Amino acid sequence: MKEVQGRTTSKWFAKGIALMLAMSVILSACSGSNTKENGGTATGKGEDEPVTITMMYDDNPSYPFNASWPVLQQFQKLANVKLEIQPTPDADYQNKLNIVLSSGSAPDLVSYVEHPVYMKFAQTGVLLPISDYMDKLPNLKEKLEKYNISEEIDNWTLKDGKLYGLPFMFESAMYNTAPVIRVDLLKKYNLEAPTTMDELYTVLKKLKEADPKSYPVANLNGALGLMNLSGAAWGIGPAYNGFLFNSETNQFEYAYTSENYKQYVSFLSRLMEEGLADPEIFTSSTDQWKQKMATGQSVFTYTWISELGQINADGKKNVSPDFELAPLPPIAGPGGMKGPSAQRINFAYVIPASAANKPNFDRLLEYVNWMYSDEAINLGTWGIEGETFVEKDGKRDFTDAVKESGSIQKALWNVGASNNNFTTVFTYEWFSKVLNNPLVESLTAEANQKNWFPSVAKVPKLTPEDKEEETMRNTTVHDYFMRMQEQFVYGKASVDQDWDNYVKEINDKGVTKLLEIYNNTLK
């Protein structure tokens, strides 16, 4: 979802775990369930001939489709289906979805449908109302109840009360993105790890004094990426297109004209003016960011904890044997001690409504139900027993070959596992093994205990007419917001002198009308 808030540069992993890593209260993985009791027999296995299911597939160049993947072969064998895959390049996938879903001849199953496309077609009668068939999808129903994911499901439920997609879910939230700092330098200069934004400024100032040529703060995900990871602490996120739902007033509010947002851009502007932030804070590529962090040019950032292993290894070679970047708890701001959103549904699979008229419809539902079984989830994540994982005393772990391969993720991709086109759920146990960092588990436990995870952004339930108006207005609002954020941060506009004019302009450009639309949906 865009700003619920945006796909970051780690999109492929957030999509199903495929570029680096993304999100996922600690529940045990569904490893030991009896598949018969969990709907595992409801796959058409009793039929002699496999049913053919056509499927639109999001094909990423980093992970190109391979019809020979062992996991894909097992999927088809266990479910007694023949999947006719239609690989579609990832770069243009969402645009192609618009064409395919509008054509009237969409395949039986369409993977990786993002929220805006989903909402557009769900309201037109093009998509099958999944909630009308929940009696035939007991595995999905069981997972929704078990994972307590109703807040997220509500954002995918239309005003008619129906759900038109099959959710791709993380079993639980994980604290796997964090503020990260050079703890060896804190120790060297006798500094405490910052816990508030004011303390962070003080620490950055001292680290700059120790190395005047440095730019202590770096960023890898652009302006929206930085806001995604730190916005909740500032009280300006998670947001839907910049709009927050205030549960106390039961109204939507625009975050980017608030006092909290004013403090946010003032803070960044101060860092920029004093040389405490990288001048390329909004524009650095991933490789440039890694170089800055691993050479000591920058010492603080927000990132995936999984990135730290390689950067620390490079830093020990490039800078000092003592080099150590380490994650911190959330740094508190006006919004409190909050980390990034705990959103656990990133996209949905959809079935065209026309599929209900096809002779294989019941078998299609059986396959979809099987996709949410423990058998399918375990196969789609862990891969092939003996090749990518081993099981002992009911516990799974990756094989030594996978763990020593240099990238657990790539080793799984090689057999077709960890593929969001086939897998519906990523479990906590599996995710923690992929991340392979005990800090993620300990920090996640602390995050749940201390309520670091903010609520997901609430999405207004728009009519088709509202959606059309929103699309027209939001483009203008977003472009102006992004332009003015850059000007405020880089000192081209003064927060003190130009703020009131900014608020008036952005309200006139569409915020006032959008607030009217969104708040009318609550009546």
Side-chain angles (χ1 to χ4, degrees), residues 115-130:
H115 192 267
V117 175
Y118 166 87
M119 294 299 290
K120 174 181 176 181
F121 286 98
Q123 300 189 64
T124 63
V126 168
L127 305 183
L128 186 77
I130 299 299

Side-chain angles (χ1 to χ4, degrees), residues 11-27:
K11 159 194 164 191
W12 183 235
F13 196 100
K15 284 162 62 171
I17 257 193
L19 178 89
M20 262 169 260
L21 299 155
M23 311 169 227
S24 210
V25 232
I26 300 179
L27 301 171

Side-chain angles (χ1 to χ4, degrees), residues 263-276:
Q263 291 183 50
Y264 173 77
V265 290
S266 296
F267 183 80
L268 292 181
S269 178
R270 186 181 186 188
L271 297 184
M272 196 64 64
E273 181 182 357
E274 297 182 19
L276 302 180

Side-chain angles (χ1 to χ4, degrees), residues 189 191 201-214 216 274-276:
Y189 298 114
L191 300 171
Y201 169 79
T202 300
V203 168
L204 295 173
K205 190 84 171 171
K206 293 200 177 285
L207 293 175
K208 175 74 173 183
E209 291 170 0
D211 184 2
K213 293 181 180 179
S214 69
E274 297 182 19
L276 302 180

